[in-house]
Amino acid sequence: AQAAQPERGTYIVHVAKSEMPQSFEHHTLWYESSLKSVSDSAEMIYTYDNAIHGYATRLTAEEARLLESQSGILAVLPEMRYELH
Amino acid sequence: TTRTPQFLGLDKSADMFPESSSASDVIIGVLDTGVWPESKSFDDTGLGPVPSSWKGECEVGTNFSASNCNRKLIGARFFAKGCEAMLGPINETEESRSPRDDDGHGTHTASTAAGSVVSGASLFGYAAGTARGMATRARVAVYKVCWKGGCFSSDILAAIESAIQDNANVLSLSLGGGMADYFRDSVAIGAFSAMEKGILVSCSAGNAGPSPYSLSNVAPWITTVGAGTLDRDFPAYVALGNGLNFSGVSLYRGNALPDSPLPFVYAGNASNATNGNLCVTGTLSPEKVAGKIVLCDRGLTARVQKGSVVKSAGALGMVLSNTAANGEELVADAHLLPASAVGEKAGDAIKKYLFSEAKPTVSILFEGTKVGIQPSPVVAAFSSRGPNSITPQILKPDLIAPGVNILAGWSKAVGPTGLPVDNRRVDFNIISGTSMSCPHVSGLAALIKSVHPEWSPAAVRSALMTTAYTVYKTGAKLQDSATGKPSTPFDHGAGHVDPVAALNPGLVYDLTVDDYLGFLCALNYSASEINTLAKRKFECEAGKQYSVNDLNYPSFAVLFESGSGSGVVKHSRTVTNVGPAGTYKASVTSDAASVKISVEPEVLSLKENEKKSFIVTFSSSGSTQDRVNAFGRLEWSDGKHVVGTPISINW
């Protein structure tokens, strides 16, 4: 029997870019590395550099919690829905 | 926008705004439902080459190619990955996976901000005239972020990311979400980055009025726009069988009703449902409404949806009555059947007739378009209201602009009601909301920017706010549609925008990124929260006294902390003279008898471009009984300019 998969949601991951370890040549490589450390399957939906420093991805709540505890991660905020006025 | 340019005085002052390259170098980015590029509002006749600073693109997708862009519509992108991650792939048989607008809202807002001049515009003959955006020569870049499933924060951030890279000058966002701290709100976060790059971000205040604390988009680096009425109306009289006549509004055009009065029925008496009065789908009994005119109460479902329900039940017409939630505000709709919307008082009187008359009858008389309606503007009942629930010391909304019954471009993918059953197609539609007032201010900000390209976003906003008006030409105070009484700064902010006066404001209250960082320190944000919001490692100075009251904002929201009725609150401000050298004198008016307001110094002599600071002291001596909201105004004047700032006081 297949175990129920934990539900994934979209999160916006805010990163302290200035804390990027020198071993990374580009910030996107650092983002990918930190994402891989909490999830084998999660992919980046967007990477941002002007509006925020960070990226959007799909995670389980547990993965989001783990990611948020990592060094250099400022916040992992759930996707919000806005409405036209 | 066949009326707003005249209403705002733009027609008489055309020579004050440049026709040349400076006006056409300004680029307005509109984050919305996309664009209908074939709309005449995006005709590029007379526009020169695309500004060399522009780095945007015209993205290809469903029913949209690069050739859909031109010298007016210079950019069109779409952002669907966040929506698709949440809801699955966009169903391309239902909506275009491209910048194309299948909704109409985005075409309406973009054409309001910067649409080209289109003569012969109207909706079924209503509001006929020459339609034009506020900044007719500005360029438009469209960023589609809203889909049938909603507008998602990851897509909005991606659009702001692109707009910054593309070099847009003004961003217009007619959307909002819940109330969240600035460091959790993607629009506030993205807007901070845009502001930092010199981009003015104008957002709608929301349509959750008249409830207090109902604002969205309240970050101080955002220009928050509420809505007011125009001096235009679309009367449709409701004539009862007893001879009484009530004023309503309508945009209906189609088969006329019979000349003789028709049987009239209250929806609540033509339904077995407990909420039958609301004309919700499936609640009307066809045998009780067929061949009649039905009175429905507003609430729960869209106004035009009620018209569709009434029509499909076999009725011939509808009277739509406001309830206490909407008061006397009349919002016109292009209903699918003959219909008139009436205010609460008229609705109550009509219901009295319906309940007392054995065989009630009614006629609806459509009168077309009327202009010169007074008083106007009136704050729209739906326009969201202060106080600011995130930072009560920052007064929001910033100002109001036209947002009721606005005609502007529309998508040919959808009818004017937006209902799937509406097969009508129109070039222009008339709709209402702070979504409509926001792009008015975006376009006006672009105009100011074209005249004063060196001004910061805060300086442009300050000019728009300090020159806004709060009284009619008669001297009477602006009214609130929700109450019929004078509106307050919690309703109208600094007042109604006056773009011609804003070109020459005399003094401005300017703000830099550092000022906003100090504001975040005053909010006791942690280093991590500031980094999330402002993308930088910033440490608030340990020994420094930061105060929200000292943010150089062009308004004063005075908050006496609870505990006692008395207290002293000081706000410091710095003005920059953007006009010729002059001596400005302060004057304060207030309706708060128990609060003494003093300005130090009372006179400021400023050279051109000189900055000078002053302190306003608010001393409350009131008892607990006096602890209600109070309002006032501080004006600096050199005899030629009046630099007005609203004051709100609460305990």
Side-chain angles (χ1 to χ4, degrees):
Chain A
Q2 286 187 336
Q5 292 293 309
E7 209 170 298
R8 281 177 187 269
T10 303
Y11 291 87
I12 296 164
V13 182
H14 292 260
V15 174
K17 204 174 159 188
S18 61
E19 291 179 29
M20 182 175 84
Q22 288 190 337
S23 52
F24 292 97
E25 278 185 21
H26 196 265
H27 60 271
T28 52
L29 299 173
W30 178 38
Y31 296 171
E32 280 168 9
S33 167
S34 72
L35 180 57
K36 276 277 172 285
S37 70
V38 300
S39 171
D40 289 334
S41 56
E43 290 181 6
M44 287 188 203
I45 299 170
Y46 292 111
T47 57
Y48 309 99
D49 204 38
N50 293 297
I52 65 164
H53 289 155
Y55 56 94
T57 186
R58 301 274 292 169
L59 299 169
T60 66
E62 174 63 7
E63 289 166 347
R65 193 187 58 77
L66 276 174
L67 188 59
E68 198 161 28
S69 67
Q70 284 194 2
S71 167
I73 303 296
L74 295 165
V76 181
L77 303 178
E79 179 89 287
M80 300 278 286
R81 195 190 300 238
Y82 290 74
E83 287 178 352
L84 294 166
H85 280 154
Chain B
T1 64
T2 45
R3 188 66 184 169
T4 49
Q6 293 97 312
F7 191 71
L8 296 170
L10 293 175
D11 56 332
K12 289 181 195 154
S13 311
D15 53 338
M16 297 178 78
F17 298 101
E19 280 289 307
S20 59
S21 61
S22 62
S24 54
D25 281 349
V26 181
I27 300 156
I28 304 177
V30 182
L31 277 66
D32 211 296
T33 61
V35 65
W36 192 262
E38 293 82 5
S39 166
K40 286 182 184 169
S41 295
F42 304 110
D43 187 312
D44 67 353
T45 304
L47 284 172
V50 172
S52 57
S53 61
W54 181 240
K55 293 191 170 66
E57 271 183 40
C58 201
E59 292 182 347
V60 174
T62 322
N63 297 321
F64 207 95
S65 70
S67 64
N68 284 123
C69 287
N70 58 18
R71 290 180 174 191
K72 166 55 86 174
L73 180 65
I74 63 171
R77 297 184 185 272
F78 65 102
F79 302 87
K81 289 181 194 169
C83 179
E84 291 184 320
M86 206 69 137
L87 304 174
I90 299 291
N91 181 347
E92 292 186 56
T93 62
E94 287 188 358
E95 58 183 330
S96 305
R97 200 175 183 286
S98 76
R100 184 166 291 278
D101 179 14
D102 304 302
D103 178 280
H105 191 278
T107 303
H108 200 279
T109 53
S111 57
T112 297
S116 302
V117 177
V118 185
S119 59
S122 78
L123 170 66
F124 305 139
Y126 287 103
T130 298
R132 52 159 282 196
M134 297 306 102
T136 52
R137 297 187 64 81
R139 318 294 179 127
V140 179
V142 158
Y143 299 87
K144 182 173 174 179
V145 296
C146 292
W147 306 86
K148 285 189 191 298
C151 325
F152 290 91
S153 52
S154 60
D155 292 330
I156 294 169
L157 273 177
I160 296 175
E161 173 88 9
S162 283
I164 293 171
Q165 264 178 332
D166 292 347
N167 280 328
N169 304 111
V170 174
L171 287 185
S172 189
L173 285 82
S174 290
L175 49 83
M179 293 162 197
D181 263 314
Y182 308 130
F183 62 91
R184 294 181 190 280
D185 177 353
S186 290
V187 167
I189 297 171
F192 191 100
S193 296
M195 169 276 297
E196 201 178 356
K197 301 279 184 185
I199 301 169
L200 184 140
V201 182
S202 163
C203 290
S204 47
N207 302 335
S211 309
Y213 297 98
S214 53
L215 295 161
S216 53
N217 300 318
V218 295
W221 45 91
I222 288 173
T223 301
T224 313
V225 188
T229 62
L230 287 174
D231 65 339
R232 181 175 64 188
D233 221 341
F234 306 101
Y237 295 101
V238 177
L240 303 181
N242 64 1
L244 289 175
N245 210 345
F246 295 94
S247 297
V249 295
S250 182
L251 296 173
Y252 174 75
R253 189 61 52 115
N255 295 332
L257 288 168
D259 287 338
S260 56
L262 288 169
F264 195 20
V265 62
Y266 181 53
N269 294 336
S271 167
N272 293 324
T274 50
N275 61 354
N277 61 318
L278 302 179
C279 297
V280 175
T281 306
T283 58
L284 287 180
S285 305
E287 67 277 11
K288 291 182 180 170
V289 302
K292 298 178 183 173
I293 291 179
V294 181
L295 184 135
C296 304
D297 286 319
R298 277 182 69 180
L300 204 64
T301 56
R303 301 182 300 271
V304 289
Q305 179 73 41
K306 293 176 195 293
S308 175
V309 167
V310 171
K311 186 181 183 190
S312 58
L316 295 181
M318 177 177 75
V319 175
L320 185 57
S321 171
N322 280 357
T323 62
N326 332 103
E328 299 308 307
E329 178 165 271
L330 300 179
V331 181
D333 295 297
H335 286 285
L336 291 165
L337 82 172
S340 179
V342 298
E344 185 193 13
K345 285 178 192 164
D348 288 346
I350 295 168
K351 277 179 243 177
K352 201 172 168 186
Y353 164 71
L354 275 168
F355 298 150
S356 62
E357 180 66 42
K359 288 189 175 174
T361 60
V362 67
S363 300
I364 302 176
L365 310 163
F366 299 94
E367 297 284 303
T369 308
K370 293 275 190 314
V371 292
I373 305 295
Q374 297 300 338
S376 58
V378 171
V379 178
F382 62 74
S383 188
S384 287
R385 313 302 172 99
N388 178 337
S389 59
I390 307 292
T391 318
Q393 297 92 334
I394 301 294
L395 181 61
K396 292 278 183 172
D398 289 318
L399 75 174
I400 61 168
V404 180
N405 298 333
I406 304 300
L407 178 137
W410 199 245
S411 165
K412 284 285 181 77
V414 66
T417 61
L419 297 171
V421 294
D422 189 352
N423 295 317
R424 300 170 297 177
R425 293 296 178 263
V426 294
D427 293 316
F428 294 90
N429 196 9
I430 296 173
I431 53 174
S432 301
T434 54
S435 273
M436 284 66 246
S437 56
C438 166
H440 275 91
V441 167
S442 309
L444 298 174
L447 275 184
I448 308 279
K449 188 84 182 164
S450 69
V451 177
H452 301 289
E454 73 286 4
W455 283 8
S456 70
V460 173
R461 175 180 56 192
S462 174
L464 290 166
M465 286 174 67
T466 61
T467 56
Y469 61 94
T470 57
V471 293
Y472 300 110
K473 284 182 183 141
T474 60
K477 290 180 176 178
L478 292 192
Q479 276 187 22
D480 179 358
S481 184
T483 61
K485 294 176 180 167
S487 59
T488 74
F490 285 154
D491 313 318
H492 60 237
H496 193 277
V497 68
D498 179 353
V500 177
L503 282 177
N504 187 15
L507 309 176
V508 294
Y509 294 76
D510 205 356
L511 282 160
T512 65
V513 175
D514 285 343
D515 295 322
Y516 290 119
L517 291 171
F519 166 78
L520 299 178
C521 291
L523 294 181
N524 290 320
Y525 273 28
S526 68
S528 168
E529 288 163 351
I530 293 177
N531 201 341
T532 300
L533 185 55
K535 305 200 310 287
R536 73 194 68 203
K537 201 171 177 179
F538 182 82
E539 297 285 343
C540 301
E541 287 177 45
K544 189 170 174 181
Q545 283 280 2
Y546 295 97
S547 172
V548 176
N549 295 342
D550 295 341
L551 184 72
N552 201 34
Y553 214 75
S555 58
F556 298 87
V558 182
L559 183 65
F560 289 106
E561 301 293 344
S562 59
S564 72
S566 60
V568 174
V569 174
K570 288 176 186 283
H571 286 236
S572 71
R573 295 289 188 271
T574 300
V575 285
T576 307
N577 184 13
V578 294
T583 298
Y584 283 81
K585 208 174 169 188
S587 64
V588 176
T589 52
S590 161
D591 63 6
S594 63
V595 179
K596 186 175 170 244
I597 305 172
S598 60
V599 183
E600 183 57 40
E602 285 183 320
V603 176
L604 293 173
S605 289
L606 300 108
K607 296 174 195 151
E608 204 173 322
N609 295 319
E610 191 179 11
K611 290 177 189 286
K612 281 204 172 159
S613 298
F614 64 94
I615 291 171
V616 188
T617 304
F618 303 88
S619 309
S620 167
S621 56
S623 67
T624 50
Q625 286 177 326
D626 297 325
R627 289 182 202 168
V628 290
N629 295 330
F631 303 97
R633 186 171 169 86
L634 164 64
E635 288 183 349
W636 287 100
S637 181
D638 65 347
K640 290 175 191 157
H641 306 91
V642 176
V643 188
T645 44
I647 298 168
S648 70
I649 302 168
N650 66 344
W651 285 264

